[in-house]
Amino acid sequence: MMITAHSDRTELKAVGILREFYPGIRWIWKNTLCRVDAYSVTENVIIEIKTRTKHYDRLMLEYEKLNSLQQIARELEMQSLYAVETPRGLWCWNVTDLSPVWDVLELPYSTVDNKPNIRKRVTFLNIANATQVF
C-alpha cells in the first residue's frame, strides 16, 4: 500500500495510537468510497479521524459527517466515534447518540478545494468532554 497524502499518513498514525484503546482497529484506505476512516469488528466501532495543525479547545463537527457516522453505525449495529488529533494530543468522542445544538456558518467548501464559502451546519465538541487518547 502506497501512502502519499499527508492526511493519510497522519490518519494512519492516529489509528496506531487508537489501537491502544481499541486493539482490533483497522484503517480504511482513502481510495475506497467508505465514509469512515477506521473500524473494529472486535471492538464494535467505526471511527472518523480528523487531524488539525492547530490546537483548539472546541473542535468542529459538520452535520453531514455526524449524520453519516450515525447512520452507518446504526446499519452495522456499531458505536460511532469521532477522533481529532491536534498538536497537543488526540481526543475521541462517542457520537453514537449525540444530538447537539447546530449553528450555520459560512465556511470553505472543503480544506483542499479553492471554492467560494458555503453555508454549513456545524456543532462544536469541547475537548473537556472527550477521552484524551494521548
Side-chain angles (χ1 to χ4, degrees), residues 31-89:
N31 286 346
T32 66
L33 297 177
C34 189
R35 303 222 25 176
V36 299
D37 295 313
Y39 70 97
S40 173
V41 174
T42 58
E43 306 298 324
N44 201 42
V45 297
I46 59 170
I47 305 172
E48 171 66 13
I49 301 168
K50 295 292 182 192
T51 57
R52 301 289 177 248
T53 57
K54 292 182 181 178
H55 177 81
Y56 302 95
D57 289 334
R58 294 179 343 130
L59 297 160
M60 187 183 313
L61 175 59
E62 294 182 26
Y63 173 83
E64 287 79 14
K65 179 56 68 179
L66 178 62
N67 189 43
S68 176
L69 280 170
Q70 290 176 333
Q71 181 180 356
I72 293 167
R74 275 191 305 275
E75 289 171 5
L76 298 174
E77 297 180 357
M78 298 176 114
Q79 298 290 304
S80 55
L81 305 179
Y82 185 68
V84 181
E85 182 179 13
T86 77
R88 292 190 193 167

